[in-house]
C-alpha cells in the first residue's frame, strides 16, 4: 500500500507525527517538495526530533528514506541533520537516497531571500529565509541552477560557480547594494558537500519504481500545506513549490495513480505563519489561549503562529485539490477548556454565500466567515485510549468536522507524543 500525507491548511498541521506513525508499516518514506523551510516534529517518549530535510521516517532505523527531485536541498542543513541523528545513534548509511536531480539551495539563495524580504518592507511574504523562492526561481530559469549531480564533477562545478557568482554579484549589488560573493569560497564549501552527500546520490525515480514493482510500501511526505501551494494556495503568500499532493508525482516521478491512499492532516483549529489572508484568524485572547496551549511557535523559525478557528471551507477545498481519502485531525487536546468552539462553514463574498474556497486573493480578502458554534469541553483528553472514551462534546466536534468535510477522520491527535494518537 502506498500513501501520501499532505497538510490541509497553511503548514504545521502535525504531518511529522502522522508520518512517523505510518512509517512503522512503510518500507520507504519520501519527501517530494519544499526544503528546509519545513519543520516536522516527531516526539518519541521524552525525545524530540525536528526534521527539516530528512523524511520523518528517518528516526526509524529500518525505514529507507528518499529525498525526491522536487525537493530543494540546503546541503549544510542536510549534513547537520545526518550528523545530529548519528549523535543520537541513528545511522542513515545505506538507507538514505538523494535524487541526483534535486536542486541545491546555496548560501546566496538564503541571502537573496533575506534581501528581497527586507526590500519589500511591509509587503514582505514573511518567508522562512531558507532560500526557497530564489532556489526554485533559479530552477525555473535553468541556466544558473545547481543540482546534486553537479557535485559529481568538480572542474565543471568550479566553472559554473564562477559564472553564477558573476551574475549574482551584479544583481545583488545593483538591486540591494549588497557585499560581493567569492566564488572560490563557495566552491570550497561545495567540496565538503560532494564528500558528504554524493555517497547518498541516486536515481530515486528508478529506485522508487523498482521498489513499487517489488511490492514495497511507500509513504510520501508533503511539506507545508495545500493553502501554501504555489498554484492552488493563497498566492502570493505561498511557498514556491506544489505543496499539495499535486506536487508528489512531479517531485518523485511516481504517478499519483500508484498511490492507494491520500491522507490529509489538519489541526482541530487553524494556524498560519508569515503574512497573507486568514479568514478565521483570532487576533484576541482566544487566539492567544490556543497559541499558548498548543505551543504554536514555528519549528523552523520560532515565530509565533497566527491562530484561528477551524475553517471547513478552506479544508474542504484542500481535500478536493488533493484527492484526499481520509483526515488526520491533530491537536484536539489544545481546544480543551474553551467555553465555546466555532467552525467556519461558509463564506459570504459580496453578499453571496459560498462553500467553495476562493484561492484568488481579491475574492478571499472580501470573505466574511459564517460560523457554527458548539459548546466546548473541560475534561483533559490527552490520555484517553480510544475515540469512544472522549467527552461527548469533543466527539460531537469531530463528527461535525467529518460531516462538513465529507471525509472520515481516521486519526485524532490528543498530544504531541507518538502514542497520543487515536485511530478509528
Ligand atoms: P508539521 O510541520 O506538519 O510536521 O508540524 P510541526 O511539527 O511544525 O508542528 C506541529 C506541532 O504540534 C509539533 O510541535 C508537534 O509536536 C505538535 N503536535 C502534533 N500533534 C499534536 C497533538 O495532537 N496535540 C498537541 N498538543 N501537539 C501536537
Ligand atoms: P511545514 O512543512 C508553515 C510559509 C512561510 C511563509 C511562506 C513562504 O513545517 O508545515 P518560504 O520560506 O517557503 O518561501 O515561505 O510559507 N511556510 C511554512 N509555514 N509550515 C511550513 O512548513 C512552512 N514552510 C513555509 O512562513 O509564510
Ligand atoms: Mg512544521
Amino acid at each position: 500500500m502506498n500513501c501520501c500525507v499532505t497538510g490541509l491548511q497553511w503548514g504545521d498541521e502535525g504531518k511529522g507525527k502522522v508520518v512517523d506513525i505510518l512509517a512503522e508499516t512503510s518500507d520507504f518514506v519520501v519527501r517530494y517538495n519544499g526544503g528546509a523551510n519545513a519543520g516536522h516534529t516527531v516526539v518519541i517518549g521524552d525525545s524530540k526530533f525536528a526534521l527539516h530535510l530528512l523524511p520523518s521516517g528517518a528516526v526509524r532505523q529500518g525505514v529507507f528514506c528518499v529525498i525526491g527531485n522536487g525537493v530543494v536541498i540546503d546541503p549544510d542543513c542536510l549534513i547537520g541533520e545526518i550528523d545530529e541523528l548519528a549523535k543520537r545513534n541513528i545511522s542513515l548509511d545505506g538507507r538514505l537516497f538523494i535524487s541526483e536531480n534535486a536542486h541545491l539551495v546555496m548560501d546566496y539563495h538564503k541571502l537573496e531571500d533575506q534581501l528581497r524580504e527586507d526590500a519589500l518592507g511591509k509587503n514582505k511574504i514573511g518567508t522562512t529565509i531558507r532560500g526557497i523562492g530564489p532556489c526554485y526561481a533559479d530552477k525555473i530559469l535553468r541556466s544558473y541552477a545547481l543540482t546534486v549531480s553537479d557535485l559529481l564533477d568538480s572542474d565543471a562545478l568550479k566553472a559554473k560557480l564562477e559564472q553564477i557568482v558573476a551574475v549574482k554579484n551584479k544583481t545583488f549589488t545593483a538591486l540591494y547594494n549588497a557585499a560581493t560573493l567569492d566564488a572560490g569560497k563557495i566552491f570550497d564549501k561545495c567540496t565538503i558537500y560532494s564528500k558528504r552527500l554524493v555517497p547518498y546520490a541516486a536515481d530515486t525515480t528508478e529506485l522508487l519504481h523498482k521498489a513499487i514493482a517489488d511490492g514495497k510500501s511507500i509513504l510520501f511526505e508533503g511539506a507545508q500545506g495545500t493553502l501554501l501551494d504555489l498554484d492552488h494556495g493563497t498566492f502570493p503568500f505561498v511557498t514556491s513549490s506544489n505543496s499539495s499532493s499535486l506536487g508528489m508525482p512531479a517531485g518523485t516521478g511516481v504517478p499519483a495513480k500508484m498511490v492507494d491512499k491520500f491522507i490529509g492532516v489538519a489541526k482541530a483549529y487553524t494556524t498560519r505563519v508569515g503574512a497573507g489572508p486568514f479568514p478565521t484568524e483570532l487576533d484576541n485572547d482566544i487566539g492567544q489561549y490556543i497559541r499558548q496551549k498548543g505551543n504554536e511557535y514555528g519549528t523552523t523559525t520560532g515565530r509565533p503562529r497566527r491562530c484561528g478557528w477551524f475553517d471547513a471551507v478552506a479544508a474542504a477545498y484542500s481535500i478536493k485539490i488533493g484527492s484526499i481519502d481520509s483526515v488526520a485531525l491533530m491537536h484536539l487536546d489544545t481546544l480543551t477548556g474553551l467555553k465555546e468552539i466555532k467552525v467556519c462553514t461558509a463564506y459570504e463574498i459580496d453578499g453571496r454565500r459560498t462553500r467553495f474556497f476562493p484561492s484568488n486573493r481579491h475574492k478571499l480578502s472580501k470573505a466574511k466567515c459564517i460560523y457554527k458554534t458548539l459548546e466546548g469541553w473541560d475534561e483533559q483528553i490527552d490520555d484517553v485510549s480510544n475515540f469512544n472514551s472522549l467527552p461527548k462534546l469533543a466527539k460531537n466536534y469531530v463528527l461535525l468536522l467529518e460531516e462538513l468535510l465529507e471525509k472520515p477522520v481516521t486519526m485524532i491527535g490528543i498530544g504531541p507524543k507518538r502514542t497520543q494518537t487515536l485511530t478509528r
Side-chain angles (χ1 to χ4, degrees):
M1 166 121 149
N2 303 323
C3 279
C4 180
V5 172
T6 44
L8 297 179
Q9 297 159 324
W10 280 286
D12 302 327
E13 297 90 346
K15 299 174 294 292
K17 177 177 141 169
V18 170
V19 168
D20 168 54
I21 291 166
L22 298 174
E24 190 178 7
T25 50
S26 306
D27 298 302
F28 285 77
V29 182
V30 186
R31 269 283 302 272
Y32 62 81
N33 77 297
N37 49 349
H40 295 181
T41 316
V42 176
V43 184
I44 309 165
D46 294 330
S47 294
K48 186 170 165 176
F49 299 86
L51 300 163
H52 301 285
L53 278 163
L54 287 172
S56 298
V59 300
R60 293 188 184 264
Q61 197 65 71
V63 172
F64 290 101
C65 294
V66 175
I67 299 181
N69 57 279
V71 176
V72 289
I73 299 175
D74 174 340
D76 287 315
C77 176
L78 182 56
I79 293 165
E81 277 187 25
I82 294 170
D83 290 347
E84 175 60 26
L85 287 198
K87 262 195 243 156
R88 296 166 80 165
N89 291 323
I90 301 174
S91 167
L92 284 149
D93 289 348
R95 67 182 186 101
L96 172 64
F97 303 93
I98 305 171
S99 169
E100 293 158 345
N101 294 336
H103 283 247
L104 297 178
V105 178
M106 307 297 288
D107 286 345
Y108 53 75
H109 289 129
K110 289 181 264 185
L111 174 65
E112 187 176 351
D113 203 355
Q114 182 76 68
L115 293 169
R116 285 180 70 93
E117 286 283 89
D118 289 348
L120 281 163
K122 67 174 178 37
N123 294 323
K124 68 180 181 182
I125 293 169
T127 74
T128 57
I129 318 289
R130 293 301 187 270
I132 305 300
C135 180
Y136 277 118
D138 275 352
K139 175 178 175 175
I140 301 286
L141 289 170
R142 297 154 295 165
S143 330
Y144 301 126
L146 291 175
T147 63
V148 169
S149 62
D150 284 310
L151 297 174
L152 295 163
D153 181 344
S154 70
D155 289 342
L157 177 63
K158 196 170 194 178
K160 199 166 175 182
L161 269 173
E162 272 161 19
Q163 209 185 18
I164 295 171
V165 167
V167 172
K168 296 282 175 199
N169 276 341
K170 276 192 195 147
T171 340
F172 291 1
T173 314
L175 291 178
Y176 311 111
N177 199 20
T180 49
L181 309 161
D182 180 337
K185 280 193 186 145
I186 300 174
F187 176 74
D188 289 345
K189 277 188 93 175
C190 286
T191 56
I192 301 170
Y193 302 159
S194 299
K195 197 164 147 249
R196 294 295 313 276
L197 297 182
V198 165
Y200 301 107
D203 182 334
T204 53
T205 309
E206 182 185 12
L207 179 92
L208 289 172
H209 277 273
K210 276 191 176 150
I212 292 170
D214 288 346
K216 303 287 184 210
S217 63
I218 322 283
L219 179 60
F220 297 93
E221 174 178 3
Q224 291 83 53
T226 307
L227 303 176
L228 286 170
D229 185 285
L230 178 63
D231 286 282
H232 301 284
T234 51
F235 191 89
F237 300 101
V238 292
T239 190
S240 299
S241 68
N242 286 118
S243 51
S244 64
S245 66
L246 296 171
M248 178 245 126
T252 59
V254 177
K257 74 174 182 187
M258 286 183 164
V259 175
D260 303 289
K261 200 168 179 197
F262 287 92
I263 300 171
V265 189
K267 276 176 183 155
Y269 46 95
T270 312
T271 63
R272 164 161 218 173
V273 256
F278 183 177
T280 62
E281 183 166 16
L282 291 163
D283 192 9
N284 58 18
D285 288 350
I286 303 174
Q288 180 60 15
Y289 177 88
I290 293 173
R291 187 175 305 112
Q292 288 310 118
K293 191 145 195 288
N295 190 26
E296 293 295 357
Y297 295 88
T299 311
T300 299
T301 59
R303 289 179 291 178
R305 294 176 183 147
R306 298 157 67 191
C307 298
W309 296 123
F310 189 87
D311 187 339
V313 180
Y317 166 80
S318 298
I319 284 171
K320 286 197 178 74
I321 296 294
S323 77
I324 298 298
D325 298 298
S326 66
V327 174
L329 188 73
M330 297 297 111
H331 276 269
L332 187 64
D333 55 302
T334 300
L335 296 179
T336 299
L338 287 171
K339 219 174 151 53
E340 51 183 38
I341 299 171
K342 292 187 183 189
V343 179
C344 174
T345 58
Y347 292 162
E348 201 177 278
I349 301 172
D350 289 333
R352 285 186 53 209
R353 265 194 195 202
T354 179
R355 285 181 190 276
F356 201 90
F357 182 83
S359 60
N360 177 284
R361 67 180 181 280
H362 302 293
K363 288 188 193 151
L364 188 59
S365 65
K366 293 192 232 165
K368 291 194 192 96
C369 294
I370 313 290
Y371 288 106
K372 187 175 172 73
T373 304
L374 282 85
E375 200 183 325
W377 61 91
D378 269 331
E379 302 91 323
Q380 289 304 320
I381 60 168
D382 50 5
D383 59 355
V384 305
S385 56
N386 58 61
F387 180 71
N388 286 330
S389 313
L390 285 172
K392 188 164 176 288
L393 294 168
K395 274 192 280 195
N396 284 351
Y397 182 66
V398 175
L399 295 176
L400 171 71
L401 297 194
E402 250 181 357
E403 192 187 311
L404 293 169
L405 301 178
E406 298 177 11
K407 292 291 166 196
V409 172
T410 52
M411 293 171 92
I412 298 168
I414 51 165
K417 290 186 186 165
R418 198 185 242 180
T419 47
Q420 289 175 305
T421 310
L422 310 176
T423 48
R424 62 194 277 263

